[in-house]
Amino acid sequence: MVSLSLTLPTFRHGIHPEEYKKATECMPVERMPFTKRYILPLSQHTGAPVKPIVRPGETVRRGQLIAEPGAFVSMALHSPVSGTVTSIAVHRHPNGQLQPAIEIEADPFATQKLAAKPPLDWRSMSSKEFVDHVQKAGLVGLGGAAFPTHVKYAVPEGKQIERLVINGCECEPFLTCDHRIMVERADAILRGIEIVAEKLGVKSTTIGIEQNKPDAVEALRRPATGGRPVHVVPLKVKYPQGAEKMLIKALFGVEVPAGKLPLDVNIVVNNVGTMAALADYFDRGIPMIERMVTVSGPGIKRPANLMIPIGTLVRDVLDHCGGLLPETKLVVMGGPMMGMPLASLDVPVLKGTSGLLAFTEVETHFPTEYACVRCGRCLDACPNFLNASLLGRLAKAGRYEEMEKMHIMDCMECGSCSFSCPSHIPIIQLIRVAKGALRERKAK
């Protein structure tokens, strides 16, 4: 067993919410059985929606390309099952909106086995060919943001990536799918790292893992592959350490300037699940058609870590886990800090879905809100050093332009301010509304 120091690197500020990971952290990943119906929204990633290349009534195979990228910041979409396209129409998206989606009915007589494909010769690919392949694979960041992975590898001329950072923090409470990937698929993660590190020509790779996952640290600490060093660095447990800029600060002490990207400090950050999925594509020809999801929370009968085909309905996933307890009041997609409350269970699992959490009235009770007491706890909590209490007061007053001058758009909406507020002021909700209003004004 790896011995971990009590004085571990981290970033400044942040919070320490209860972990609530014990229900699933030791549960091996099981495969979700195939269901009858799948909904695949054309927009389930950051960037332009995909463009369908199939029609209603058309038969599709599992892993078949069904939609092409709609722009450079977009990625391909593949069928998660063999079956028939029943419609291309608007469906309820997990974000609550009605959006275009491809609906597929699974063939009940199909084996749903993927045909084996030979490994791709990634070493002989040019940088552009490599980026094109990652886009064709449909890979997005699996930590929750769902940013198209290939965009990070399209390094502008004159730029050089020196460090590859692999995010194994999983700092949100309840979630353990990344933890299980590191324990159960360490070989695939290291293979993905080998491919990306060589294609980007990085000098070193660092895997950041919070110290509450010692078995994951042990699983990934092994001789480097491809002749390039891979360092596994245990980190202090703190939220939101999984955010790119916070992780870079914790590992190297390097500050990514406001409005800039990790690329601007010569760093690329990828999630551990993304590395495993990338290895699956280049070694076995498997595009992104499924992902690991943690199903947990006091309101679910049987917590689990599941490998789920993209497009599976949330209701079917919860039913597979025994269903919800009668006292369940809320289901959240993602983690409890940054996830989306679901208005309907008849919405699909997306490429960016890391968790489905069921909460009872105890966890969803809203305490009485009091006036701000100017204690400054939200300032101490904000990882981006924003004046959250002042931003909240300006948002209440509708003084959005003043908020922009105070760098409101640098807020990553981690919710640390609301978590730390003793007056129970919904600061993060106020900031989200203000950011939305500012975006609408700029779009006009």
Side-chain angles (χ1 to χ4, degrees):
M1 178 67 72
V2 176
S3 175
L4 301 177
S5 168
L6 294 177
T7 56
L8 296 170
T10 188
F11 61 96
R12 289 179 62 193
H13 291 189
I15 57 174
H16 298 82
E18 288 288 334
E19 296 177 19
Y20 299 110
K21 292 177 183 282
K22 291 191 179 301
T24 56
E25 65 184 357
C26 294
M27 298 186 75
V29 175
E30 59 178 284
R31 187 166 286 280
M32 171 84 189
F34 291 101
T35 57
K36 182 178 179 181
R37 181 168 166 250
Y38 293 83
I39 304 293
L40 296 140
L42 303 186
S43 181
Q44 50 179 304
H45 57 276
T46 304
V50 296
K51 298 177 179 177
I53 59 170
V54 292
R55 295 179 178 178
E58 189 171 333
T59 300
V60 294
R61 302 181 313 280
R62 186 172 179 224
Q64 178 183 327
L65 181 70
I66 58 174
E68 295 178 332
F72 178 67
V73 185
S74 180
M75 47 70 191
L77 183 64
H78 304 78
S79 177
V81 291
S82 295
T84 304
V85 177
T86 54
S87 73
I88 301 177
V90 292
H91 289 273
R92 184 71 62 185
H93 192 280
N95 65 14
Q97 298 177 350
L98 289 172
Q99 294 191 7
I102 300 173
E103 182 177 357
I104 296 176
E105 185 172 315
D107 180 353
F109 302 107
T111 64
Q112 301 296 356
K113 287 185 178 177
L114 284 167
K117 293 182 179 177
L120 291 169
D121 183 13
W122 52 269
R123 282 195 170 88
S124 67
M125 294 178 184
S126 67
S127 296
K128 183 179 183 311
E129 289 170 338
F130 177 69
V131 169
D132 289 345
H133 267 283
V134 176
Q135 187 176 27
K136 289 176 185 174
L139 294 178
V140 300
L142 298 185
F147 186 76
T149 302
H150 68 281
V151 179
K152 293 186 176 182
Y153 301 156
V155 182
E157 194 172 344
K159 281 279 184 182
Q160 174 65 42
I161 301 300
E162 296 179 354
R163 291 165 166 161
L164 174 62
V165 172
I166 305 302
N167 186 352
C169 290
E170 196 161 55
C171 57
E172 281 248 24
F174 290 98
L175 302 184
T176 58
C177 57
D178 282 357
H179 184 173
R180 296 311 308 173
I181 289 173
M182 289 187 279
V183 172
E184 298 181 33
R185 302 210 64 204
D187 288 340
I189 294 170
L190 292 171
R191 174 63 171 166
I193 289 172
E194 178 189 356
I195 295 171
V196 176
E198 183 164 329
K199 296 308 295 183
L200 296 184
V202 301
K203 295 178 180 175
S204 67
T205 299
T206 304
I207 308 174
I209 305 174
E210 290 193 335
Q211 65 168 330
N212 57 356
K213 308 172 188 65
D215 49 352
V217 173
E218 191 170 17
L220 288 166
R221 270 186 172 163
R222 60 180 69 181
T225 56
R228 295 174 186 275
V230 177
H231 307 286
V232 180
V233 179
L235 299 168
K236 189 174 180 179
V237 178
K238 192 197 285 188
Y239 176 84
Q241 194 140 235
E244 286 187 336
K245 293 184 178 181
M246 303 306 108
L247 182 55
I248 291 170
K249 179 69 176 178
L251 290 172
F252 310 119
V254 173
E255 196 91 42
V256 180
K260 299 291 184 181
L261 300 170
L263 177 65
D264 294 303
V265 292
N266 305 320
I267 295 174
V268 162
V269 182
N270 280 143
N271 176 267
V272 286
T274 307
M275 287 297 94
L278 186 139
D280 287 343
Y281 175 75
F282 282 97
D283 283 351
R284 298 192 288 154
I286 302 176
M288 193 180 172
I289 56 174
E290 58 187 10
R291 68 154 297 149
M292 288 192 195
V293 177
T294 298
V295 183
S296 190
I300 189 72
K301 288 183 180 176
R302 186 177 71 85
N305 283 306
L306 299 175
M307 180 64 83
I308 301 177
I310 305 300
T312 304
L313 297 183
V314 170
R315 186 182 298 281
D316 290 336
V317 177
L318 299 177
D319 287 346
H320 175 70
C321 292
L324 298 172
L325 295 173
E327 55 268 35
T328 301
K329 297 293 182 186
L330 178 69
V331 175
V332 171
M333 179 174 283
M337 301 298 291
M338 298 186 73
M340 288 184 290
L342 296 179
S344 167
L345 300 183
D346 296 313
V347 294
V349 168
L350 308 177
K351 292 189 176 186
T353 303
S354 54
L356 294 172
L357 307 179
F359 296 117
T360 67
E361 190 164 1
V362 175
E363 297 83 37
T364 55
H365 172 70
F366 288 98
T368 303
E369 179 183 337
Y370 297 97
C372 176
V373 294
R374 310 290 201 276
C375 65
R377 291 186 188 178
C378 58
L379 279 74
D380 289 336
C382 179
N384 276 338
F385 297 83
L386 299 175
N387 190 336
S389 63
L390 179 55
L391 287 172
R393 291 197 297 276
L394 291 172
K396 277 187 174 179
R399 294 157 64 179
Y400 298 150
E401 284 74 12
E402 292 178 57
M403 298 178 74
E404 195 167 16
K405 294 175 183 175
M406 295 185 65
H407 307 288
I408 182 178
M409 302 313 283
D410 289 338
C411 171
M412 69 175 83
E413 304 179 21
C414 67
S416 296
C417 50
S418 294
F419 179 87
S420 61
C421 178
S423 293
H424 308 301
I425 298 171
I427 302 172
I428 188 57
Q429 286 80 4
L430 293 168
I431 290 176
R432 282 175 183 159
V433 170
K435 288 177 71 175
L438 283 168
R439 290 193 189 99
E440 284 185 12
R441 290 184 185 184
K442 287 183 178 180
K444 289 180 180 177

